[in-house]
Amino acid sequence: MATKKKKTSKPKKTSPKRAKLHGEVFFPSKEVIAQANLKDWDATAKRAGKDLEGFWADEASELEWAKPWTMVLDDSKQPFFKWFTGAQVNIVHNCIDRHLKTYRKNKLALVWESEDGKEERSFSYFKLNREVSLMASIIKSLGVEKGDRVTIYMGRVPEIIFAMLACAKIGAIHSVVFGGFSVDALQGRIADSASKLVITCDGSYQNGKLIELKRIADEAVAKCPSVENMLVVRRTGQVVTMQPERDHWYHELLESPVAKERFPTEVMDAEDPLFILYTSGSTGKPKAIVHTHGGYMVGTYTTLKYVFDLKDDDRWWCAADPGWITGHSYIVYGPLLNGATSFLYEGGPAFPNPGRWWQLIERYAITVLYTAPTAIRGLMRFGEDWPNQYDLSSLRLLGSVGEPINPEAWKWYYTVIGKERCPIMDTWWQTETGMFMITPTPVVPLKPGSGTRPFFGQEAEIVDEQGKPVKDNEEGYLVLKKPWPAMLRTIYGDPDRYVQQYWSKFPGKYMTGDSARRDEDGYFWIIGRVDDVIKVSGHRLGTAEVESALITHPAVAESAAIGLPHELKGQAIYCFVLLKPGQTASAELAEELRQHVAKHMGAIARPEEVRFVDKLPKTRSGKIMRRLLKARAQGLPEGDLSTLEE
Ligand code: PRX
């Protein structure tokens, strides 16, 4: 990357398009262009634009299929799109089995370091196959069949990856619940998916503290009759209660005859579900997004290959948690599909000190770092001295995901971490999209805070309430116009909600739930969610979930949760609470309610502030007007109040 150029800069011979772009633009350097696998972005975009199915069929052909497809895209039953119909494949075959026939057999697939820095474990593709086979045979011995759901609730240890791949290998559908969630969130997700098996750990480490995963799982499973078995991986060695018959130590089963180092990979139909992943929606309880073996495989493989321009000698580090879609697509599946070496770190960015991540980059010679703006903002706070103590020269690319990155954080990341050499891939996408949707590749000129343009084959648009495209630079709803292989297929158990939520407001177009604007250069700028979803430190939470947790407290009659801008977290949760008669508002009670939410949902959902009110603003039909609470809290115009009850 060259130094930043304003529009006043003179166009250079090497890039005649330079002068055309508006605002602050960072152009790729000659070195970056020389390294890039894909040099001509425009030509590929044009090709995919003209022949969407041809583009994706070519990408799919780079992977191995047990049976080829008869149709690339079946859009006859919209919005229930199907991809690679007629084909048979198992994503694990392409993540692992395929590589065993090549030199990659002995290449490192995964490198892991513990939070305390005392343990390091690494796995070649060959060894990964052994681990996944062992786990698959054990899961199968616990009565799990193709199509059964398995809930995975673990810390960031290699076994979480083995568990996901083992489920996929035998055709079971995994449902990973983020290890930072607590009882209510876990229980709701196990119950909704009717999981037969729960895989957990005795505990996990979080910033030096012990999290009691098994105890939380016990509490959640107590109310979930579908669960027949619990498989427990020992990580911390803490004391846990094992329920006879139901609970099994993983290390004990590994020593038993059921464990097999070689185990077959089940052949699946391309459209068979691979996993479900719960995410917060605009209303009600979280919904389970369904992804499939075939399309999701092709989508994650292709996007990671082009956007992060993967090379054989890369050390890829996606610093998300495997429990979120970012971890599914770009810690687990995408890197393995590409035969890459991935790094997984157990802990968080600033423990035991704010130099920890930078130390890991030096120690493992990380070449690409992909993380969220919240982490960048958090580390930026501690100053340049921390990163400057470490050799970060191995880095060649950086990435951002999960929320808009403010230009200040972008520039710090670019300058202090990337030393002005490493382009930042700001990737916009969602649990539902499964893969990057609006994103640059390394050769695309960047504007801090913009994910640039849609990925190959995609067209995005900004529309008004009526679905009409708005003018350049005007804010509106962000919609996607073309189907893509990794698109969600439905909401598990609720196809009507799938249609209603994503395809009804603007028929024929996928409604993202985000507001955005497009500038005169065709670059997209995400503004934020238009629904009741809050992004706290990049984590997606629903106001309804927080409110449900609050209402379980005996003092609470009613509550409303909203997200307000927060300097570090992007957004933070604010709650307005109406107490039951006889209850008295106090600072202590407010604190108790904050802790109550954290205990029930997980620390990430702990409200920033709880305020007591006498009344909540409601529409005549009884819905809480969160929009009004939000406007009032920020001193912004209150907008149309015609539906407000007196
Ligand atoms: O609002 C957008 C924001 O995150 C939402 C999707 O959240 P989730 O399903 O948890 O997936 C996050 C990781 C893929 C989007 O609707 N978002 C995601 N990436 C970006 C973003 N906002 C701005 N810039 C991004 N790069």
Side-chain angles (χ1 to χ4, degrees):
M1 297 287 282
T3 44
K4 65 182 175 183
K5 298 277 178 195
K6 298 255 184 196
K7 60 185 166 189
T8 49
S9 67
K10 282 186 195 146
K12 285 200 179 156
K13 278 181 195 154
T14 49
S15 180
K17 294 191 194 97
R18 280 182 172 225
K20 284 193 197 157
L21 295 172
H22 301 77
E24 191 177 19
V25 184
F26 289 70
F27 292 92
S29 66
K30 278 200 226 105
E31 294 73 33
V32 166
I33 295 174
Q35 272 188 16
N37 293 327
L38 179 94
K39 303 229 184 326
D40 196 341
W41 187 93
D42 295 276
T44 310
K46 204 165 151 192
R47 199 245 141 164
K50 272 197 188 145
D51 180 13
L52 179 75
E53 292 182 40
F55 170 77
W56 285 113
D58 283 354
E59 295 301 327
S61 302
E62 294 180 7
L63 299 165
E64 285 182 358
W65 301 73
K67 189 172 153 218
W69 52 90
T70 47
M71 239 178 150
V72 177
L73 169 65
D74 177 357
D75 56 3
S76 59
K77 295 202 179 66
Q78 291 186 33
F80 295 94
F81 295 89
K82 288 180 177 172
W83 284 84
F84 308 106
T85 49
Q88 290 193 315
V89 72
N90 185 314
I91 195 168
V92 174
H93 175 85
N94 280 296
C95 286
I96 303 176
D97 309 15
R98 178 172 71 106
H99 303 305
L100 306 183
K101 297 174 283 185
T102 70
Y103 71 94
R104 285 188 179 132
K105 180 175 179 175
N106 289 320
K107 180 180 170 176
L108 284 182
L110 179 68
V111 179
W112 174 85
E113 190 175 299
S114 61
E115 183 178 84
D116 64 8
K118 291 184 182 148
E119 269 177 276
E120 182 189 326
R121 296 167 72 193
S122 56
F123 305 86
S124 65
Y125 276 86
F126 188 65
K127 191 169 170 193
L128 179 66
N129 181 52
R130 204 159 68 222
E131 297 285 357
V132 173
S133 295
L134 287 164
M135 180 85 89
S137 56
I138 287 173
I139 294 176
K140 192 112 195 187
S141 79
L142 295 173
V144 175
E145 296 293 337
K146 188 170 173 174
D148 286 343
R149 276 80 54 216
V150 175
T151 295
I152 299 174
Y153 178 65
M154 301 168 76
R156 266 196 300 267
V157 287
E159 283 77 7
I160 188 172
I161 297 183
F162 308 158
M164 291 166 73
L165 293 165
C167 287
K169 188 175 171 76
I170 63 169
I173 302 169
H174 61 70
S175 166
V176 183
V177 178
F178 172 56
F181 274 134
S182 199
V183 183
D184 291 1
L186 177 60
Q187 188 218 314
R189 286 156 174 80
I190 299 174
D192 185 77
S193 62
S195 288
K196 252 185 172 174
L197 172 69
V198 172
I199 309 180
T200 189
C201 297
D202 49 358
S204 65
Y205 295 107
Q206 209 176 70
N207 299 329
K209 285 201 295 275
L210 269 187
I211 308 295
E212 298 178 289
L213 294 179
K214 172 70 165 72
R215 190 194 51 75
I216 296 170
D218 283 341
E219 239 183 275
V221 167
K223 293 184 215 142
C224 299
S226 65
V227 177
E228 294 168 4
N229 291 289
M230 219 193 295
L231 185 58
V232 189
V233 173
R234 189 155 71 189
R235 167 65 192 124
T236 57
Q238 69 202 82
V239 178
V240 296
T241 320
M242 297 294 279
Q243 187 172 305
E245 310 288 316
R246 189 195 68 183
D247 299 350
H248 315 268
W249 281 112
Y250 184 57
H251 62 269
E252 285 176 5
L253 290 183
L254 275 176
E255 300 298 319
S256 78
V258 300
K260 303 275 187 289
E261 290 194 358
R262 270 188 283 122
F263 204 68
T265 304
E266 185 83 30
V267 175
M268 308 293 289
D269 285 339
E271 280 292 305
D272 277 339
L274 165 66
F275 65 82
I276 55 177
L277 185 57
Y278 285 85
T279 192
S280 302
S282 33
T283 50
K285 58 181 182 144
K287 49 199 178 177
I289 302 302
V290 177
H291 284 292
T292 58
H293 273 262
Y296 176 82
M297 171 181 81
V298 176
T300 51
Y301 165 74
T302 308
T303 44
L304 187 59
K305 180 182 74 172
Y306 286 128
V307 175
F308 286 99
D309 204 23
L310 284 190
K311 322 268 185 220
D312 216 15
D313 58 356
D314 266 325
R315 275 290 172 100
W316 161 257
W317 184 13
C318 167
D321 190 278
W324 305 112
I325 190 69
T326 309
H328 281 53
S329 299
Y330 300 111
I331 295 177
V332 184
Y333 293 108
L336 295 175
L337 288 165
N338 278 282
T341 303
S342 235
F343 175 66
L344 179 72
Y345 171 54
E346 186 178 35
F351 181 84
N353 63 55
R356 185 69 171 120
W357 269 18
W358 317 127
Q359 177 192 43
L360 291 168
I361 289 176
E362 174 179 319
R363 185 177 283 172
Y364 292 97
I366 301 296
T367 56
V368 189
L369 173 67
Y370 182 45
T371 186
T374 293
I376 303 302
R377 285 192 295 264
L379 292 168
M380 190 168 108
R381 210 162 41 125
F382 296 105
E384 293 180 24
D385 288 351
W386 284 105
N388 288 346
Q389 289 172 34
Y390 299 95
D391 176 6
L392 305 181
S393 63
S394 57
L395 287 171
R396 64 173 190 87
L397 269 183
L398 299 171
S400 176
V401 61
E403 46 178 327
I405 180 161
N406 47 314
E408 197 197 352
W410 194 99
K411 283 177 195 155
W412 190 83
Y413 197 25
Y414 181 69
T415 314
V416 178
I417 306 306
K419 315 289 183 212
E420 301 189 3
R421 289 183 302 103
C422 310
I424 299 175
M425 302 295 104
D426 182 353
T427 60
W428 176 90
W429 59 297
Q430 308 176 301
T431 306
E432 292 87 341
T433 70
M435 64 182 222
F436 308 144
M437 299 306 292
I438 297 179
T439 173
T441 71
V443 298
V444 171
L446 305 174
K447 300 188 189 188
S450 167
T452 76
R453 291 169 289 188
F455 187 72
F456 306 131
Q458 190 47 258
E459 276 176 43
E461 204 169 56
I462 312 290
V463 299
D464 64 15
E465 198 63 42
Q466 282 70 43
K468 281 213 270 331
V470 302
K471 293 200 197 89
D472 282 351
N473 287 311
E474 274 179 21
E475 183 177 346
Y477 296 97
L478 174 68
V479 296
L480 302 173
K481 290 170 69 182
K482 301 281 182 190
W484 63 101
M487 63 199 302
L488 76 162
R489 295 302 192 268
T490 187
I491 293 175
Y492 184 75
D494 202 349
D496 293 344
R497 191 167 171 204
Y498 164 71
V499 178
Q500 194 266 328
Q501 184 100 45
Y502 302 105
W503 302 95
S504 298
K505 191 167 170 78
F506 307 115
K509 292 171 186 167
Y510 170 84
M511 151 94 175
T512 65
D514 278 9
S515 69
R517 63 184 180 84
R518 183 171 56 193
D519 70 16
E520 54 275 60
D521 299 321
Y523 277 45
F524 286 80
W525 301 77
I526 305 296
I527 295 161
R529 299 287 306 187
V530 290
D531 50 17
D532 293 323
V533 168
I534 310 178
K535 298 256 32 198
V536 186
S537 303
H539 302 318
R540 181 165 159 181
L541 296 167
T543 52
E545 291 167 86
V546 179
E547 291 162 10
S548 311
L550 276 171
I551 206 82
T552 60
H553 189 282
V556 176
E558 222 180 339
S559 72
I562 58 168
L564 292 179
H566 186 278
E567 209 184 326
L568 280 182
K569 300 177 185 173
Q571 277 191 305
I573 302 172
Y574 286 77
C575 297
F576 298 84
V577 168
L578 195 76
L579 291 174
K580 283 188 186 152
Q583 299 287 339
T584 320
S586 68
E588 292 73 35
L589 183 57
E591 183 55 26
E592 189 180 318
L593 293 176
R594 289 180 65 231
Q595 301 311 337
H596 180 82
V597 174
K599 179 169 176 282
H600 283 253
M601 279 197 65
I604 53 166
R606 181 181 292 119
E608 199 66 18
E609 201 180 310
V610 169
R611 285 185 207 166
F612 298 104
V613 291
D614 300 328
K615 204 165 184 202
L616 288 168
K618 286 191 185 163
T619 62
R620 282 180 234 281
S621 59
K623 280 196 196 135
I624 295 171
M625 288 180 85
R626 296 191 188 80
R627 173 178 67 78
L628 181 60
L629 284 170
K630 246 172 133 161
R632 281 192 185 156
Q634 296 177 89
L636 296 171
E638 297 189 354
D640 178 14
L641 296 181
S642 56
T643 57
L644 185 69
E645 65 173 9
E646 83 329 322

